[in-house]
Amino acid sequence: MKHAIAFASLLALVTPAALAQEAAPATAPAPRPAPRLIVTISVDQFSADLFAKYRNRFTGGFKRLLEGAVFPAGYQSHAATETCPGHSTILTGMHPARTGIIANSWTDLKTARADKTVYCAEDESVPGSTSASYTVSDKHLLVPTLGERMKAANPAARIVSVAGKDRAAVMMGGHKVDQLWWWDGKKFSSYAGRAEPEAVKRANAAAVERVAAGQPALDEPDFCRAHDRPVSIGAGKMIGTGRFQRAPGDARPLRASPEFDGMVFSLAAGLIEEMRLGKGETTDLIAVGASATDYVGHTYGTNGNEMCLQLAALDDTMGDFFDKLDSLGIDYEVVLTADHGGHDAPERLREQAIPNAARIAPELTTKAISDAVTAKLKLPGQVLFGDSGSGDVWIDPKLTPAQKAAVTREALALYRAHPQVAAAFSRAEILAATPATLPPPAWSLIERAKASYNPDRSGDLLIALKPNITPIPDATRGYVATHGSFWDYDRRVPILFWRKGMVPMEQPLPVETVDIAPTLAATIGLKLGAPEVDGRCLDLDAGAGSTCP
């Protein structure tokens, strides 16, 4: 029988030699050799909630990752839960306060450019540029990435970064990369003057064919049917039942569809094969930014048929990608996480037991608060600047110190009195706050703010809306849902590690995305820890051994 033990075997268990062996202290297994390729995947807006919702449905790439080291409670622990800050933490090991990437865009009222908005991945000094028409640059990232550290330790290491968004590619790639490519709306692009590899040429040719061909409605898996239900967001506009059909030649819906991630992973696979990544004598690294989940979340929300189809397709796409790497005979290590989570459209949330879900009140716009402050203080012109009515707010630097103090006092009073505002902090309050020491779920709001506050770039005020308040006043003119809040639905993301031969393990306690870089560094023998970075090494060995120094 399968579980029967022969008498002779039982006898062998109690021989003196066996007893001596049992008494000997256990020794940790020898560490594994370094992988030849690190694959870092960021699924934009892939919250821990979405991961939990669909993890038992995955049959492809996600299923493989679930057979590795699973940390379902990862945290982008800072307050600025946006794409650029989140990506800046993944391979630097540092919070946005140190990376300098405090938002997707910020206001710099002292810049010489007429446009005072600065995009996180631009060079605003380029003549004629604006924050909407810009030259992509890594200049605002203040710290090195893991790839840069690998190159410093061994110049033979090749570092590649590809993504659906320029800011994702730049923030994970860093300043010194062999190849860096992003989708610019029409093709995969890179910095000016860079030669176009054959893999990129093929990817761009395939993109032209894909756009021309169109996309029929996707087949609906059985488990998605429960989410296939229309929800009205006003003005006759509905979400919840989409299946990503696209007319031939119409490229506009491409980003917010599973097709988009397929293009990015195809390019990544092509570059790996063409450059023979993972075939050298040292470890290479490729970062892959899968951006479609974010566009789907913004366009349709997170709990409809669209998101279900998107994640099912991404699971298949990643399964094919891993199969391709297997066929190339590469010893590779994977980590998958997200730059932030996301929040569903309030119209659907109210139907699903969240009655306090709402859109931001018009009187909370930065301009409205500024007008109220200037009227009370009898100041001319606009004194407060910022985008959405939450997050960073800047005060006109031309004011006198006394005027600035009065504006700060009056603005904070208005924000704090509003029923949709959870907290409002001044620059002085954030700078004086003590950094967090407890696990990220227990961080206070000001501790979350401090982790993404850079005194050279962040606002003079920082506003936190209450939970379930969406900073999009009108869903009929653009995006219907978003992220960027202080709350855990935007902060919590999965962190999954996988390598062939790993013993599966799951650790449900909270960890941080800043832990990823030191964890990967340890697997290749690169020393990286505090105070050089904010994160710590996570032990990926399920047994007595340790993958950490």
Side-chain angles (χ1 to χ4, degrees):
M1 295 177 63
K2 181 179 179 182
H3 298 293
I5 301 179
F7 178 77
S9 298
L10 287 169
L11 183 63
L13 293 175
V14 294
T15 61
L19 290 172
Q21 186 178 24
E22 182 180 348
T27 57
R32 293 182 68 179
R36 283 291 177 256
L37 177 64
I38 292 173
V39 180
T40 302
I41 300 171
S42 172
V43 179
D44 201 318
Q45 205 184 137
F46 186 46
S47 68
D49 295 332
L50 282 177
F51 172 67
K53 183 174 183 175
Y54 291 106
R55 63 178 291 175
N56 66 333
R57 303 294 191 180
F58 294 134
T59 60
F62 281 117
K63 183 177 185 295
R64 183 185 296 215
L65 298 179
L66 281 163
E67 296 166 355
V70 178
F71 297 88
Y75 274 80
Q76 291 279 5
S77 41
H78 52 269
T81 49
E82 295 182 339
T83 297
C84 215
H87 279 101
S88 81
T89 72
I90 294 170
L91 286 177
T92 66
M94 299 182 221
H95 295 126
R98 292 177 70 182
T99 69
I101 307 301
I102 58 129
N104 285 344
S105 298
W106 54 86
T107 299
D108 183 357
L109 295 169
K110 297 180 181 179
T111 186
R113 189 171 70 180
D115 177 10
K116 303 303 182 184
T117 299
V118 176
Y119 177 57
C120 63
E122 73 157 319
D123 181 354
E124 67 275 20
S125 68
V126 174
S129 68
T130 70
S131 56
S133 178
Y134 52 84
T135 297
V136 176
S137 171
D138 55 36
K139 66 177 286 185
H140 292 305
L141 180 64
L142 301 179
V143 297
T145 61
L146 177 61
E148 292 178 71
R149 295 180 189 275
M150 291 166 62
K151 268 195 172 297
N154 188 335
R158 277 89 52 79
I159 310 303
V160 176
S161 186
V162 297
K165 297 180 181 179
D166 52 26
R167 56 187 179 268
V170 169
M171 296 304 151
M172 291 199 292
H175 308 90
K176 296 179 181 179
V177 292
D178 295 273
Q179 296 290 342
L180 189 145
W181 296 87
W182 65 85
W183 182 255
D184 68 3
K186 296 180 180 179
K187 66 183 188 308
F188 287 104
S189 292
S190 189
Y191 300 130
R194 290 216 169 194
E196 193 175 73
E198 289 301 317
V200 176
K201 293 178 181 178
R202 290 194 300 271
N204 282 334
V208 171
E209 293 178 3
R210 179 182 289 272
V211 170
Q215 171 65 55
L218 298 185
D219 292 335
E220 185 178 63
D222 289 343
F223 63 86
C224 288
R225 288 176 185 152
H227 309 290
D228 191 348
R229 187 173 57 82
V231 174
S232 172
I233 56 172
K237 188 176 179 180
M238 311 294 287
I239 58 173
T241 61
R243 293 176 62 179
F244 300 113
Q245 56 265 43
R246 182 176 56 78
D250 184 5
R252 291 173 300 170
L254 185 65
R255 279 178 165 154
S257 77
E259 293 180 272
F260 194 35
D261 285 339
M263 293 161 55
V264 171
F265 275 100
S266 179
L267 174 57
L271 286 170
I272 290 170
E273 186 169 22
E274 180 177 333
M275 298 175 67
R276 293 182 56 80
L277 297 182
K279 295 290 190 177
E281 295 183 358
T282 190
T283 303
D284 300 320
L285 181 148
I286 185 167
V288 184
S291 306
T293 302
D294 183 68
Y295 288 117
V296 170
H298 282 304
T299 306
Y300 305 106
T302 59
N303 285 314
N305 196 51
E306 300 91 351
M307 185 60 76
C308 186
L309 291 173
Q310 159 61 19
L311 293 179
L314 178 59
D315 183 42
D316 290 340
T317 294
M318 290 198 304
D320 293 341
F321 176 70
F322 295 148
D323 288 344
K324 176 64 176 180
L325 298 191
D326 293 342
S327 73
L328 296 174
I330 301 170
D331 178 9
Y332 63 98
E333 175 180 36
V334 183
V335 62
L336 180 144
T337 190
D339 53 344
H340 52 73
H343 200 40
D344 199 17
E347 292 79 8
R348 183 157 43 213
L349 290 173
R350 287 195 297 270
E351 293 183 3
Q352 297 180 349
I354 309 293
N356 67 332
R359 298 193 175 275
I360 192 170
E363 66 269 18
L364 271 178
T365 64
T366 306
K367 180 65 164 57
I369 296 291
S370 180
D371 289 346
V373 170
T374 55
K376 181 166 185 179
L377 298 178
K378 296 181 172 52
L379 293 172
Q382 187 172 347
V383 295
L384 299 177
F385 299 85
D387 287 333
S388 66
S390 64
D392 289 282
V393 177
W394 289 263
I395 298 176
D396 188 347
K398 295 192 294 292
L399 297 177
T400 67
Q403 289 173 327
K404 187 170 183 178
V407 168
T408 299
R409 181 179 64 251
E410 295 299 331
L412 286 175
L414 287 171
Y415 282 119
R416 289 168 176 168
H418 197 282
Q420 287 189 336
V421 173
F425 303 115
S426 69
R427 172 188 178 90
E429 289 170 328
I430 297 172
L431 291 177
T434 302
T437 57
L438 294 174
W443 289 16
S444 67
L445 295 187
I446 201 165
E447 288 171 335
R448 300 175 193 193
K450 192 174 184 72
S452 51
Y453 195 88
N454 182 282
D456 294 328
R457 294 175 180 171
S458 296
D460 297 292
L461 309 173
L462 190 62
I463 314 305
L465 298 178
K466 286 183 177 178
N468 306 314
I469 303 299
T470 296
I472 299 174
D474 184 355
T476 65
R477 298 185 180 184
Y479 284 159
V480 307
T482 192
H483 47 84
S485 79
F486 284 55
W487 307 109
D488 280 2
Y489 49 72
D490 285 340
R491 297 171 74 220
R492 290 176 59 249
V493 297
I495 301 177
L496 313 174
F497 294 88
W498 180 90
R499 186 181 178 190
K500 186 176 181 180
M502 282 182 71
V503 176
M505 61 170 279
E506 180 155 347
Q507 172 51 267
L509 297 178
V511 297
E512 298 184 71
T513 55
V514 294
D515 298 333
I516 292 171
T519 301
L520 294 174
T523 66
I524 59 173
L526 185 64
K527 186 178 180 181
L528 186 60
E532 197 172 9
V533 294
D534 296 322
R536 64 182 177 90
C537 179
L538 303 175
D539 179 13
L540 305 182
D541 190 309
S546 176
T547 58
C548 296

